[in-house]
């Protein structure tokens, strides 16, 4: 069976062609990129046409390079970023740029909608308790999509008046492929308006109305393995694909990356390190930690949930430090040699070279600690005003220590997630590590050392989202019984990293300091970065 899987991330789409049989083999893949626009007021937007153009371009490239296989594609599936807001009209055309999961403009909507009246934990008691009962979660973050929806209603009424459906990223793309409006269960849950008390997937319509959401804007809910439809004739021609190819609902990255990692059984824990990062553990029941902003997200496997803690800037931190520390962006050197140009025969990328550089620095980076909050933070504390920092720099500190401290800082935050999750559920002793960060043996070993747990990586860890999408399509096509069996057969461990005990004392000491950095600087963050305070 030939499957085309689209992994739609924050900065690009990875389009992968798989052949599924006794093994799942990657035939070919292509990467298309697009922009993320950040505004001074906390806005973060993307142009859905750029998503589509990237899909068309990468699909056509595969069609040119693998014409026979692409002409026989039977299934199309998606893994994508979640909690974006894409508002479309009846034709499926987007009415405005998509508001990214990173968008944090809706502080006033959140304040009016949830922070007035009698309160529990700073939230309106009635709405908090009703939300927890009806959805097992609550829209407690300014970045949650409901507040973005209400921001458009309040600030762009002429656009809001034309809204037919509220979609997420892959749902918008599915609508363009098939002409049909749906939301997979995990995407529906990510709106925090899914009625978990219903006997089958349904919206909590009365709760939605109580917040000001029009239930008619919510699309029909389907499971991840549902066959939504076949390609529209004009779309099949544009992409160079057979019109008979079946489009499956697929899932969000929060549910399908764990599938691609092979972490599908209850208590399996995986860590993802891409542009964003997270720790996620499979549970058989719904769990919520309101104070730490952690909740279970419905998984692609019905009856299972992912207890999910997210860091929005993981790999983005290393991208930032590469640009601003590793490269000479202001050309101040009198004599400058491009190190990257000399690495072609020894290194496959600048990142591989930087990994070797980082390995030269001792554990603990000479006492330097990095806090990875480049765009605010959501968990285990919610603060859109929080920002990144290098702490404890001395005269002896160089770029090597600062580079390593960035990796260690992200690992410290991931350990914070893991320990916070462990207060409510059982997490696995061995953690699956996936995403672009898992390509680096140095990063993988630092993670194992910081966590104090064994870390396993899989083959092509940067493609696990598309692997998860392909496996869901196999379930939908009834080629496999369920996702657990599929992952046990088709997802293999490639490397295993065991914690270095000699580094433990250093990391334990720095971790305790790391956790206190936010509390010590919270007032300063608010003073410097609160865009909504009176002028």
């Amino acid at each position: 069976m030939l499957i085309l899987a689209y992994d739609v991330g924050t900065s690009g789409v990875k389009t992968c062609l798989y052949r599924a049989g006794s093994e799942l083999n990657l035939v070919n893949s292509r990467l298309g990129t697009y922009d993320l626009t950040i505004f001074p007021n906390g806005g973060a937007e993307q142009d859905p046409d750029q998503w589509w153009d990237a899909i068309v371009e990468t699909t056509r490239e595969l069609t040119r390079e693998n014409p026979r296989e692409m002409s026989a594609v039977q299934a199309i599936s998606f893994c994508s970023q979640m909690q974006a807001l894409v508002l479309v009209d009846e034709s499926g055309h987007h009415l405005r740029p998509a508001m990214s999961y990173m968008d944090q403009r809706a502080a006033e909507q959140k304040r009016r909608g949830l922070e007035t009246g009698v309160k529990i934990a700073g939230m309106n008691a009635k709405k908090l308790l009703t939300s927890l009962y009806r959805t097992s979660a609550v829209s407690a973050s300014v970045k949650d999509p409901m507040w973005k929806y209400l921001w458009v209603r309040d600030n762009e009424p002429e656009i809001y008046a034309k809204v037919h459906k509220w979609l997420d990223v892959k749902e918008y793309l599915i609508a363009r492929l098939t002409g049909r409006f749906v939301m997979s269960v995990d995407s529906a849950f990510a709106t925090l308006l899914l009625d978990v008390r219903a006997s089958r997937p349904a919206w909590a319509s009365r709760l939605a109305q109580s917040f000001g959401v029009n239930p008619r804007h919510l699309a029909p809910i389907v499971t991840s393995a549902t066959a939504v439809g076949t390609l529209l004739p004009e779309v099949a021609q544009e992409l160079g694909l057979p019109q008979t190819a079946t489009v499956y609902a697929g899932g969000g990255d929060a549910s399908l990356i764990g599938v691609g990692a092979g972490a599908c059984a209850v208590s399996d824990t995986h860590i993802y390190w891409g542009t964003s990062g997270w720790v996620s553990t499979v549970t058989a029941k719904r769990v919520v930690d309101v104070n730490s902003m952690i909740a279970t997200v419905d998984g692609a496997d019905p009856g299972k949930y992912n207890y999910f803690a997210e860091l929005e800037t993981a790999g983005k931190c290393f991208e930032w430090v590469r640009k601003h520390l590793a490269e000479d962006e202001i050309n101040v050197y009198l004599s400058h040699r491009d190190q990257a140009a000399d690495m072609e025969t020894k290194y496959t990328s600048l990142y591989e070279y930087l990994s070797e550089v980082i390995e030269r620095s001792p554990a603990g980076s000479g006492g330097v600690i990095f806090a990875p909050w480049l765009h605010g933070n959501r968990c285990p504390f919610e603060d859109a005003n929080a920002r990144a920092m290098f702490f404890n720099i001395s005269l002896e500190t160089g770029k090597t220590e600062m580079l390593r401290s960035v990796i260690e800082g992200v690992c410290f935050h991931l350990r914070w997630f893991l320990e916070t999750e462990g207060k409510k559920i059982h997490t696995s002793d061995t953690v699956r590590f996936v995403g672009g960060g898992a390509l680096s043996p140095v990063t993988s070993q630092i993670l194992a050392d910081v966590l104090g747990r064994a870390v396993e990586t899989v083959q092509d860890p940067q493609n696990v989202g598309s692997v998860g999408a392909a496996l869901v399509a196999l379930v939908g096509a009834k080629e496999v019984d369920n996702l657990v069996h599929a992952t046990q057969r088709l997802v293999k461990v490639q490397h295993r990293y065991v914690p270095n005990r000699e580094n433990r004392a250093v990391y334990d000491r720095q971790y305790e300091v790391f956790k206190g950095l936010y509390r010590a600087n919270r007032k300063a963050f608010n003073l410097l970065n609160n865009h909504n305070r009176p002028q």
Side-chain angles (χ1 to χ4, degrees), residues 203-219:
W203 295 107
S205 296
R206 292 181 63 183
L207 178 66
Q209 288 176 309
S210 74
F211 281 108
V213 174
N214 185 343
R216 290 194 298 272
H217 291 163
L218 304 173

Side-chain angles (χ1 to χ4, degrees), residues 345-424:
T345 57
K346 186 176 180 181
Y347 303 101
T348 60
S349 69
L350 179 59
Y351 286 102
E352 185 177 340
Y353 171 70
L354 292 177
S355 289
E356 183 177 297
V357 170
I358 289 167
E359 196 171 20
R360 299 172 194 164
S361 179
S365 305
V368 178
I369 300 174
F370 177 78
W373 313 315
L374 282 170
H375 193 68
N377 191 63
R378 182 188 292 245
C379 172
F381 62 88
E382 161 74 11
D383 191 345
N385 297 321
R387 292 294 181 269
M389 70 176 83
F390 287 99
F391 179 75
N392 204 38
I393 291 176
S394 69
L395 284 172
E396 291 75 28
T397 300
K399 284 186 178 180
T400 301
E401 289 78 18
M402 294 176 74
L403 286 165
R404 184 180 179 104
S405 75
V406 171
I407 300 299
E408 292 175 340
V410 174
C411 290
F412 287 146
H413 203 100
L414 294 170
R415 175 176 169 180
W416 203 358
F417 285 167
L418 192 62
E419 292 183 359
T420 305
E421 287 193 2
K423 295 176 182 178
K424 293 274 188 177

Side-chain angles (χ1 to χ4, degrees), residues 455-532:
V455 167
E456 294 178 341
T457 60
V458 298
Q459 186 177 10
D460 297 327
Q462 76 279 23
N463 289 334
V464 288
S466 60
V467 168
L471 294 178
V472 163
L474 287 175
V475 172
K478 303 190 185 309
E479 295 288 328
V480 293
D481 293 333
N482 57 63
L483 287 175
V484 172
H485 292 162
T487 56
Q488 289 173 345
R489 180 163 63 90
L490 300 173
V491 179
K492 307 297 183 185
V493 172
Q494 189 169 43
H495 298 293
R496 180 179 173 87
Y497 301 87
V498 178
N500 182 338
R501 293 183 180 179
E502 294 179 3
N503 296 334
R504 182 71 190 206
V506 173
Y507 285 138
D508 283 351
R509 181 175 63 250
Q510 289 191 294
Y511 174 63
E512 291 305 314
V513 174
F514 174 86
K515 288 191 296 181
L517 289 178
Y518 171 69
R519 291 191 301 271
N521 292 278
R522 178 170 49 198
K523 291 182 180 179
F525 287 144
N526 184 64
L527 181 64
L528 293 172
N529 305 314
N530 187 355
H531 303 292
N532 297 299

Side-chain angles (χ1 to χ4, degrees), residues 58-106:
T58 53
T59 304
R60 285 176 172 174
E61 288 176 358
L62 291 182
T63 300
R64 286 193 296 269
E65 296 175 14
N66 304 89
R68 184 174 62 181
E69 289 89 348
M70 291 292 280
S71 66
V73 166
Q74 298 165 267
I76 297 172
S77 186
F78 286 88
C79 172
S80 78
Q81 55 174 302
M82 302 178 75
Q83 286 202 310
L85 179 79
V86 191
L87 300 175
V88 301
D89 60 19
E90 292 185 0
S91 68
H93 182 269
H94 59 279
L95 296 167
R96 67 176 318 282
M99 298 176 77
S100 164
Y101 66 89
M102 298 172 69
D103 197 294
Q104 52 191 18
R105 280 176 286 188

Side-chain angles (χ1 to χ4, degrees), residues 193-495:
L193 292 172
L194 178 71
D195 189 346
V196 302
R197 299 286 175 174
S199 58
R200 58 183 180 179
W203 295 107
S205 296
R206 292 181 63 183
L207 178 66
Q209 288 176 309
S210 74
F211 281 108
V213 174
N214 185 343
R216 290 194 298 272
H217 291 163
L218 304 173
I221 303 171
V222 298
T223 64
S224 290
T226 296
V228 178
T230 53
L231 297 177
L232 295 170
E234 62 273 20
V235 171
Q237 184 175 7
E238 183 178 14
L239 295 174
L241 294 173
Q243 188 180 338
T244 54
T246 300
V247 179
Y248 292 89
D253 49 15
S255 54
L256 286 191
I257 283 179
V259 173
C264 276
V266 173
S267 295
D268 281 353
T269 300
H270 81 270
I271 289 176
Y272 171 73
W273 187 319
T275 301
S276 60
W278 61 69
V279 174
S280 179
T281 303
V282 180
T283 70
K285 62 181 181 179
R286 299 184 186 276
V287 184
V288 64
D289 183 342
V290 174
N291 292 326
S292 298
M293 305 293 291
I294 308 178
T296 43
V297 179
D298 283 55
D301 205 357
K304 292 197 179 80
Y305 311 93
N306 301 302
Y307 195 48
F308 189 84
E310 183 184 17
L311 173 64
E312 292 180 350
T313 51
K316 196 70 175 176
C317 291
F318 201 61
E319 179 185 327
W320 181 91
V321 83
R322 173 188 63 80
K323 179 178 180 181
H324 297 291
L325 285 182
E327 297 177 355
D328 178 28
E329 62 179 10
I330 58 174
N331 299 313
V332 298
Y333 300 119
L334 295 176
S335 176
H336 176 67
R337 182 169 63 89
D338 184 359
Q339 177 71 24
D342 296 338
M343 299 190 307
E344 293 181 0
T345 57
K346 186 176 180 181
Y347 303 101
T348 60
S349 69
L350 179 59
Y351 286 102
E352 185 177 340
Y353 171 70
L354 292 177
S355 289
E356 183 177 297
V357 170
I358 289 167
E359 196 171 20
R360 299 172 194 164
S361 179
S365 305
V368 178
I369 300 174
F370 177 78
W373 313 315
L374 282 170
H375 193 68
N377 191 63
R378 182 188 292 245
C379 172
F381 62 88
E382 161 74 11
D383 191 345
N385 297 321
R387 292 294 181 269
M389 70 176 83
F390 287 99
F391 179 75
N392 204 38
I393 291 176
S394 69
L395 284 172
E396 291 75 28
T397 300
K399 284 186 178 180
T400 301
E401 289 78 18
M402 294 176 74
L403 286 165
R404 184 180 179 104
S405 75
V406 171
I407 300 299
E408 292 175 340
V410 174
C411 290
F412 287 146
H413 203 100
L414 294 170
R415 175 176 169 180
W416 203 358
F417 285 167
L418 192 62
E419 292 183 359
T420 305
E421 287 193 2
K423 295 176 182 178
K424 293 274 188 177
I425 63 169
H426 180 266
T427 58
S428 57
D429 294 332
T430 298
V431 175
R432 289 284 172 94
F433 181 37
V434 293
L439 290 169
S440 168
V442 176
T443 299
S444 300
Q445 185 61 56
I446 291 174
L447 181 63
D449 293 347
V450 170
L451 298 182
R453 303 192 191 194
V455 167
E456 294 178 341
T457 60
V458 298
Q459 186 177 10
D460 297 327
Q462 76 279 23
N463 289 334
V464 288
S466 60
V467 168
L471 294 178
V472 163
L474 287 175
V475 172
K478 303 190 185 309
E479 295 288 328
V480 293
D481 293 333
N482 57 63
L483 287 175
V484 172
H485 292 162
T487 56
Q488 289 173 345
R489 180 163 63 90
L490 300 173
V491 179
K492 307 297 183 185
V493 172
Q494 189 169 43
H495 298 293

